[in-house]
DNA sequence: TAATATGTAACCCAAAAGGTTACATACGTC
DNA sequence: GACGTATGTAACCTTTTGGGTTACATATTA
């Protein structure tokens, strides 16, 4: 598993950098387009709110992306946050590996964009 | 984007099928190992609760997996749920595609396991 | 039979999403 | 300078949800 050293990019950052600014539209107008309140979008853009599944569906539609794109960004951010918040989970005693069927890691534990 | 026709596998299902049963341990004992209450684990296994980032970290440690493995399962499930709950997001009017920088879809919008 | 495991409900607390309203600030244009 | 708009943010409300404890009825097992 790839370590997350740096703070993952917050979805709000992408919205701002890659959509809001290039499109030269206001938060107010984008919120209206997305069908959410100005507050909801503002919170996300200012990284004080999370992209929920419902929000991801709206973003995917507006910006012709996948909902997973947004949810993955949020997931990586949340995971990084959780690790930072508490290390209690490190006290969990692993089951003996020889008793476990072995799943390998899934891709995109980081922000991956295919081209 | 790959359509999710069928209900995605709930993480609780994996815990039960691939860990609880093969290891022949009780929910009570597994909860103790994970350092959470019996109720918390029971809810997840009975698909009435979600795997949170903190829980994913515990599971990853106990079962030698990645937290992302669990969070991806949960994400796919949540997204499927959100789509089922409401189709309001389909009313969002897409921005004209010629104005948009184009991100392509991220991998594992479904439950993917590398071997 | 006795002990344990389990699902579940009740109850408590805390967090968080999302909405509305309101306000001070900043940045325009006229 | 004056007015309108955009924005961050706070306050307030509702609903949902995670997680813990306690309790209880029903399996399940030793």
């Amino acid at each position: 598993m790839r370590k997350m050293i740096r703070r993952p990019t917050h979805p709000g950052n992408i919205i701002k950098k890659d959509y809001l600014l290039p499109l030269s539209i206001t938060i107010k107008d984008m919120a209206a387009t997305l069908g959410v309140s100005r507050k909801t979008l503002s919170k996300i853009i200012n990284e004080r709110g999370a992209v929920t599944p419902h929000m991801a569906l709206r973003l995917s539609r507006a910006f012709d992306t996948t909902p997973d794109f947004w949810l993955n960004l949020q997931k990586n951010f949340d995971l990084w946050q959780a690790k930072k918040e508490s290390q209690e989970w490190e006290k969990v005693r692993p089951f003996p590996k020889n008793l476990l069927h072995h799943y390998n890691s899934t891709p995109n534990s980081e922000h991956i964009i295919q081209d």
Side-chain angles (χ1 to χ4, degrees), chain A:
Chain A
M1 151 182 175
R2 192 125 134 264
K3 268 192 194 170
M4 279 190 274
I5 306 292
R6 66 170 204 289
R7 185 169 178 274
T9 305
H10 189 285
N13 190 290
I14 306 285
I15 297 179
K16 185 171 190 175
K17 178 169 59 69
D18 293 338
Y19 296 98
L20 193 78
L21 300 182
L23 291 170
S24 296
I25 57 177
T26 65
I27 291 181
K28 190 169 172 281
D29 287 347
M30 184 179 280
T33 296
L34 292 169
V36 300
S37 73
R38 177 170 72 86
K39 177 198 161 191
T40 298
L41 182 58
S42 172
K43 277 186 68 175
I44 294 173
I45 287 182
N46 288 289
E47 312 198 359
R48 296 164 151 280
V51 171
T52 62
H54 284 110
M55 191 65 185
L57 287 169
R58 292 175 184 277
L59 292 169
S60 73
R61 176 121 177 136
F63 302 141
D64 190 36
T65 54
T66 62
D68 283 285
F69 171 69
W70 300 102
L71 292 177
N72 280 330
L73 289 170
Q74 188 63 53
K75 174 182 59 101
N76 294 336
F77 188 84
D78 290 344
L79 183 56
W80 184 84
Q81 279 275 93
K83 276 185 188 166
K84 217 183 49 171
E85 262 171 44
S86 162
Q87 291 77 240
E88 277 298 300
W89 62 278
E90 294 177 357
K91 296 183 186 163
V92 171
R93 183 191 311 213
F95 282 94
K97 299 202 196 328
N98 56 309
L99 298 182
L100 299 174
H101 167 301
H102 225 252
Y103 280 116
N104 276 315
S105 58
T106 46
N108 81 305
S109 46
E110 285 259 344
H111 168 196
I112 293 174
I113 297 168
Q114 298 185 139
D115 253 323

